[in-house]
Amino acid sequence: MNTGKLYLIPVPLAEGAEKSSYTFLHHEIIDSIHEYVVENEKTARRFLKSAGLKIPQNQLIIHDYGKHSRGQMDYGEVFANVLKGKDIGLMSEAGCPGVADPGADIVLEAHKRGIQVVPLVGPSSILLALMASGFNGQKFAFHGYLPIDKGDRAKRIKDLESQSAREKITQIFIETPFRNNQLLNELLRICKPSTLLSISSNLTATDECVKTMSVAAWKKNPQELHKIPAIFLLFV
């Protein structure tokens, strides 16, 4: 018997961005799958509804891999129907599964079982920010969250700036939205005036904003980022 496939289904980054995030293939696949692995069941069901799911939601099988359930995942149960020929979908909270997302563990388990993994086209805030920055797109690194400790974070920022200067690499990182302003202030304090800083906020939303300026220019035109999803990029 042929095994089913694991489809990696991207989720829109912002409310109201469904039309710019879906393709016809998304709709076809969503309407053919009855089983999903999700990070948040409530969010996932809302996404499926907005995507035009035709299958009654009470017929769906939902596996929770949220932070409180992740350690107890029974992969044998998750992939039982897939090994019988049924397809399964993987969704994260927003964006592409497996990219800055714990869903990568699910994908790896699928590979171990010889299950075909099919990534679908969709929005990645990391790549969208890189595309819009004007920075080097041939050599870049995503570092996730910087250290919380102020001393460690300051050292990390200096190290990233120095590496970018040496290797012409684009440095990409994020922060918890309610600490965005603090991170921006530290970047402007620590980095050299000529260093370039690009900030993409609320990507794909109606109030999306992408700005690339030198640190010196940012100091003259600071931006309010409190509780706004944002991606930070440095380039020297």
Side-chain angles (χ1 to χ4, degrees):
M1 179 183 294
N2 293 329
T3 60
K5 301 174 183 178
L6 171 62
Y7 284 97
L8 310 185
I9 304 173
V11 177
L13 298 174
E15 290 187 17
E18 290 83 3
K19 289 184 179 180
S20 62
S21 303
Y22 303 154
T23 68
F24 289 115
L25 182 59
H26 284 84
H27 294 293
E28 290 179 4
I29 290 174
I30 286 171
D31 282 330
S32 69
I33 293 177
H34 287 74
E35 192 166 5
Y36 292 90
V37 183
V38 305
E39 191 175 356
N40 182 297
E41 182 172 349
K42 183 178 180 180
T43 303
R45 288 185 181 276
R46 186 167 64 243
F47 159 72
L48 290 170
K49 181 180 179 180
S50 69
L53 177 71
K54 296 176 183 177
I55 300 170
Q57 292 221 13
N58 60 9
Q59 295 181 14
L60 299 179
I61 300 173
I62 303 291
H63 301 279
D64 178 11
Y65 81 106
K67 63 180 179 180
H68 298 300
S69 306
R70 211 165 291 148
Q72 291 77 43
M73 286 291 292
D74 183 344
Y75 292 111
E77 178 183 343
V78 168
F79 292 112
N81 289 326
V82 185
L83 294 175
K84 295 176 183 177
K86 301 291 185 180
D87 295 332
I88 191 170
L90 172 64
M91 294 185 290
S92 63
E93 273 287 80
C96 297
V99 180
D101 171 73
D105 294 337
I106 306 294
V107 176
L108 183 58
E109 289 293 334
H111 284 297
K112 290 178 180 178
R113 289 162 172 77
I115 296 168
Q116 182 180 351
V117 176
V118 183
L120 299 183
V121 172
S124 165
S125 58
I126 299 167
L127 290 179
L128 291 174
L130 176 62
M131 290 164 60
S133 68
F135 296 166
N136 189 355
Q138 298 192 55
K139 190 173 185 180
F140 56 91
F142 176 66
H143 302 279
Y145 295 93
L146 301 187
I148 295 177
D149 178 81
K150 287 188 176 181
D152 292 340
R153 183 162 48 184
K155 182 180 184 302
R156 185 65 170 144
I157 290 171
K158 291 178 181 177
D159 289 344
L160 293 176
E161 185 182 37
S162 296
Q163 184 189 27
S164 180
R166 291 194 311 272
E167 303 178 21
K168 294 304 175 185
I169 181 172
T170 300
Q171 309 285 23
I172 310 172
F173 44 92
I174 56 176
E175 179 55 282
T176 302
F178 67 84
R179 288 202 293 261
N180 277 340
N181 283 342
Q182 292 94 316
L183 175 57
L184 176 57
N185 289 336
E186 290 190 62
L187 290 168
L188 299 185
R189 177 178 61 84
I190 295 168
C191 294
K192 298 176 181 178
S194 59
T195 293
L196 295 175
L197 172 64
S198 182
I199 302 176
S200 291
S201 59
N202 275 340
L203 284 166
T204 73
T206 55
D207 58 346
E208 172 184 279
C209 181
V210 180
K211 288 185 179 180
T212 295
M213 298 187 291
S214 68
V215 167
W218 274 108
K219 288 181 178 180
K220 297 177 181 177
N221 300 277
Q223 185 170 337
E224 176 57 50
L225 296 171
H226 185 58
K227 292 186 177 181
I228 299 174
I231 305 280
F232 298 82
L233 302 90
L234 272 184
F235 188 70
V236 181

